[in-house]
C-alpha cells in the first residue's frame, strides 16, 4: 500500500511512481542508496522497489541492512542484468522478488501487490463489514451490491478502515499509510478525503469520528 521507489534514473523512477500511484499505492521516490536508507528509517513501507546499482550506497547494501534489521518491508529488486546468476545473487541478499530491465509495467504492479500480500500484516483479498465488500485484487468495492466509484485514495482509506475490523484508525496512521512523504500534515487531506468517502458510501452513515482519536467503521 505504501511503496518506496529507489532508482537512480530519475525519469524511470518517476514513471514507475506515477504508474504505481494510478494503481492505488502511496509512493515516494529516491535516487540514491543513502536516501533510500533514510526514508526506510522514517516511514513504514510495505514494499521497496530497489535498483541494485544505486549511487553512494549500493542497492545490495540497502537490502543487506533491511534484512539484518529484521524489517518487514518486502524487497523487489530491479537490475539491468537478467542473468540467472544475478537473480540468484539478488535473492540470496534477501530480495523477495526480482525484475530485470526493461520490464512490462503491469507485471511490476502485479508483483508489488503480491509482495504486499506477503507482508507481516497479511490481509485477505476480500474484506466485508456492514454491507461493504472490498476486493483488493480487483480494486472494486460495493455497498449492499451497489458499486462504489472510489478514487484510488478513497479506496485505500476504506481498505485501512476495513482492515482495522472495528478498531479506530488515527488521522496520523492514515497519512502514514495512504499518502506520500510530501503531503503536508496540516492540509486537512484526511478530513477532505473522509468527507468524500462518506458521501459516496451514502446513508446510513458508517464512518464514525472518534474525537481526538481517529475514525472507525
Amino acid at each position: 500500500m505504501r511503496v518506496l521507489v529507489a532508482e537512480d534514473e530519475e525519469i524511470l523512477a518517476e514513471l514507475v511512481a506515477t504508474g504505481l500511484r494510478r494503481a492505488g499505492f502511496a509512493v515516494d521516490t529516491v535516487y540514491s542508496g543513502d536516501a533510500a536508507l533514510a526514508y526506510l528509517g522514517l516511514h513504514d513501507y510495505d514494499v521497496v522497489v530497489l535498483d541494485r546499482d544505486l549511487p553512494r550506497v549500493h542497492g545490495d547494501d540497502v537490502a543487506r541492512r533491511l534484512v539484518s534489521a529484521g524489517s518487514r518491508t518486502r524487497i523487489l529488486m530491479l537490475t539491468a542484468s537478467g542473468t540467472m546468476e544475478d537473480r540468484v545473487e539478488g535473492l540470496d541478499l534477501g530480495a523477495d522478488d526480482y525484475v530485470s530491465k526493461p520490464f512490462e509495467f503491469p507485471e511490476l504492479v502485479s508483483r508489488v501487490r503480491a509482495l504486499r500480500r506477503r507482508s507481516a500484516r497479511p490481509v485477505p483479498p476480500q474484506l466485508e463489514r456492514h454491507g461493504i465488500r472490498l476486493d483488493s485484487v480487483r480494486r472494486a468495492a460495493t455497498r449492499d451490491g451497489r458499486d462504489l466509484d472510489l478514487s484510488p485514495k478513497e479506496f485505500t482509506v476504506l481498505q485501512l478502515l476495513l482492515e482495522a475490523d472495528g478498531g479506530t484508525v488515527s488521522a496520523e496512521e492514515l497519512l502514514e499509510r495512504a499518502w506520500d512523504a510530501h503531503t503536508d500534515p496540516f492540509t486537512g487531506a484526511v478530513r477532505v478525503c473522509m468527507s468524500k468517502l462518506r458521501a459516496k458510501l451514502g446513508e446510513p452513515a458508517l464512518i464514525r469520528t472518534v474525537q481526538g482519536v481517529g475514525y472507525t467503521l
Side-chain angles (χ1 to χ4, degrees), residues 33-89:
D34 56 343
L37 289 171
Y39 270 62
L40 288 162
L42 288 171
H43 306 289
D44 185 19
Y45 292 100
D46 295 288
V47 178
V48 55
V49 179
L50 180 65
D51 181 32
R52 285 193 74 178
D53 297 319
L54 290 174
R56 294 201 285 274
V57 176
H58 197 274
D60 290 357
D61 292 323
V62 174
R64 289 190 188 98
R65 294 192 200 182
L66 278 177
V67 173
S68 65
S71 173
R72 68 162 201 90
T73 301
R74 299 296 185 179
I75 302 170
L76 175 60
M77 192 167 276
L78 297 179
T79 182
S81 174
T83 66
M84 183 187 69
E85 291 78 8
D86 277 327
R87 290 197 299 273
V88 169
E89 185 178 359

Side-chain angles (χ1 to χ4, degrees), residues 13 41 69 71 82 86 89 111 123 126 128 163 169 207-208 212:
S71 173
D86 277 327
E89 185 178 359
R111 287 175 181 264
V123 177
Q126 291 198 0
E128 293 187 50
E163 288 176 10
V169 184
I207 299 175
R208 183 167 62 92

Side-chain angles (χ1 to χ4, degrees), residues 83-139:
T83 66
M84 183 187 69
E85 291 78 8
D86 277 327
R87 290 197 299 273
V88 169
E89 185 178 359
L91 294 170
D92 283 345
L93 286 168
D96 298 281
D97 203 353
Y98 200 98
V99 174
S100 301
K101 302 176 187 176
F103 50 82
E104 296 293 332
F105 196 78
E107 179 186 6
L108 180 69
V109 172
S110 178
R111 287 175 181 264
V112 169
R113 284 182 176 150
L115 288 179
R116 199 273 177 180
R117 292 194 294 272
R118 290 166 49 192
S119 71
R121 293 178 294 191
V123 177
Q126 291 198 0
L127 298 165
E128 293 187 50
R129 187 175 181 86
H130 299 315
I132 295 175
R133 176 176 292 181
L134 181 146
D135 187 325
S136 62
V137 177
R138 294 177 50 244
R139 302 289 296 176

Side-chain angles (χ1 to χ4, degrees), residues 149-206:
D149 184 19
L150 303 180
S151 70
K153 196 69 67 184
E154 292 159 358
F155 185 95
T156 299
V157 169
L158 180 59
Q159 182 173 346
L160 289 167
L161 292 172
L162 286 166
E163 288 176 10
D165 196 25
T168 302
V169 184
S170 69
E172 291 78 10
E173 183 177 354
L174 290 171
L175 274 173
E176 171 68 21
R177 305 300 303 155
W179 276 266
D180 62 37
H182 300 292
T183 302
D184 185 343
F186 302 106
T187 61
V190 173
R191 178 178 49 80
V192 172
C193 181
M194 200 64 69
S195 176
K196 292 179 179 179
L197 179 57
R198 282 172 163 148
K200 290 184 179 181
L201 289 176
E203 298 294 336
L206 293 178

